[in-house]
Amino acid sequence: MVVLKTLFKWIVLPVVALLIIVSLGLVVTGNAYIFRGLQLTYFKGEATANIDDYVDFDNRTIRAGKPITWQKHPDFDQLFLTPTLQSALDTDETVAFAIIKDGKLVYENYWQDYGSDSHTNSFSMAKTVTTMLYLKAVEDGYIDSVNEPITTWLPEYANNEYAQNCTLADLSAMTSGYDWTEDYYFPINPTAESYYGHDLVKQMVNRDFVEPCGGNFEYSSGDMQMLGIALARALEPHGYTVSSYLEGKFWQPLGMQGDGYWSLDGAANIEKVYCCLNASALDFAKFGQLLLNGGKWQGEQLLSKAYVDLMITPNVDAFAAGQAPIYGHSVWTDMDSPIPYYEMLGHLGQRVLVLPEEDAIIIRLGKQKGLPTPIKGFNLEPDLGQYVTEVKAVLDGLE
């Protein structure tokens, strides 16, 4: 008994006291979101956000209308992946892989008990969708233009010398100069706070613009969430949330096969538009097909071709001489690679790759990034060049 009392006095009580002090420190410094982050990651055996975690958040439902099923390509069930690609997909935590050719489904497969109806997190692929929505809002007259000053919708920055010269296009091109640190792993940073925190709008507008707008590209989920706040404010007088606008303008017209779910901030007030749109693989693929079609779907122009071209064209002014121009407006670009392509990309290897010269789309969803072998001449993450190269070889074999 004496030993237990001694252990309690000299070990247990100091540890408890330390935990209390640390906890109070996190609360006082505004970092209490870390508790929720720990609960939803490390305590579940995860090192970061995961593809199934939308069930841990409040969500807005994006209702499907009449589903439009992908028509199967004549070579469906006759296509065989290369051994390199098949081996990688079997071993690198892939959960879904599909290929669309000439607007038809030519290959589809799932792993780890996922299937065609499984909803997983888009992560940053949602940025592309968000930019589609704000451009559609310009078309609908809810926003004056892509060059509208951000202070129209973010009056909190009316007196900021840098923000005064910043446009909505600077946010979608990620050239805004907004103060942000992009990191999904280190727990004390704005990305983690935006993911697990309570009041996303408050967090965002309490950060500053620290450099002139229109400069070099710097990837920033903060830019996209600021664009989302502006979009939400522009849509609200017309009776829309970001999710309901997506539902009416794209989700139902595209004939998505299932509902979508857009995760909200901790106050359940606003969509986390920089991430967290949850859908099935083949529904994500329809956004790639819409880009490939120049904004048209089954004869209906859902988004103007001019705005699609804006999104998929490399923003060369945002890159230094000799530097590969790898970003347009919320679309990654590698148009100078041996096989030109552009893409929607997300944390942990979520990919919708568009190969315009092949009239093809590749969809890969997974729990970690795969195929780490770089291919000469490709400028983005190593798995992308491998997917594009291997799939082109497969498609060439069909001809």
Side-chain angles (χ1 to χ4, degrees), residues 222-397:
D223 278 20
M224 187 52 52
Q225 192 60 49
M226 293 294 274
L227 181 61
I229 294 170
L231 175 62
R233 290 174 174 178
L235 293 175
E236 185 177 13
H238 305 281
Y240 290 108
T241 64
V242 172
S243 294
S244 66
Y245 196 59
L246 172 58
E247 177 181 290
K249 299 299 179 177
F250 295 112
W251 204 266
Q252 292 189 0
L254 286 168
M256 298 302 197
Q257 69 180 24
D259 293 344
Y261 305 99
W262 212 327
S263 297
L264 305 174
D265 71 341
N269 285 334
I270 190 168
E271 291 85 351
K272 294 185 285 189
V273 301
Y274 69 92
C275 70
C276 310
L277 175 61
N278 298 272
S280 67
L282 294 184
D283 282 349
F284 282 134
K286 288 185 176 178
F287 290 113
Q289 189 68 51
L290 186 64
L291 293 174
L292 181 57
N293 292 351
K296 185 176 289 188
W297 178 261
Q298 296 197 342
E300 182 179 0
Q301 196 75 42
L302 301 185
L303 183 65
S304 77
K305 186 177 185 301
Y307 284 145
V308 171
D309 288 344
L310 174 71
M311 293 179 69
I312 67 176
T313 300
N315 183 22
V316 294
D317 292 339
F319 298 88
Q323 189 178 22
I326 57 172
Y327 208 74
H329 285 260
S330 304
V331 174
W332 293 91
T333 62
D334 200 0
M335 299 303 291
D336 295 327
S337 66
I339 305 168
Y341 69 106
Y342 54 85
E343 54 281 335
M344 303 164 59
L345 302 183
H347 177 56
L348 301 182
Q350 319 319 308
R351 279 86 172 85
V352 173
L353 311 179
V354 181
L355 287 60
E357 293 183 1
E358 308 300 321
D359 195 14
I361 297 166
I362 304 166
I363 308 92
R364 188 271 181 184
L365 307 178
K367 296 183 178 181
Q368 66 179 19
K369 294 177 183 178
L371 288 171
T373 305
I375 301 294
K376 185 177 180 180
F378 289 88
N379 298 301
L380 293 170
E381 297 177 59
D383 62 315
L384 305 180
Q386 276 275 37
Y387 289 135
V388 170
T389 301
E390 298 293 331
V391 168
K392 185 179 186 305
V394 169
L395 294 177
D396 287 347

Side-chain angles (χ1 to χ4, degrees), residues 175-192:
T175 57
S176 75
Y178 181 69
D179 181 26
W180 191 258
T181 301
E182 190 75 19
D183 192 326
Y184 272 94
Y185 291 91
F186 187 66
I188 302 179
N189 72 79
T191 309

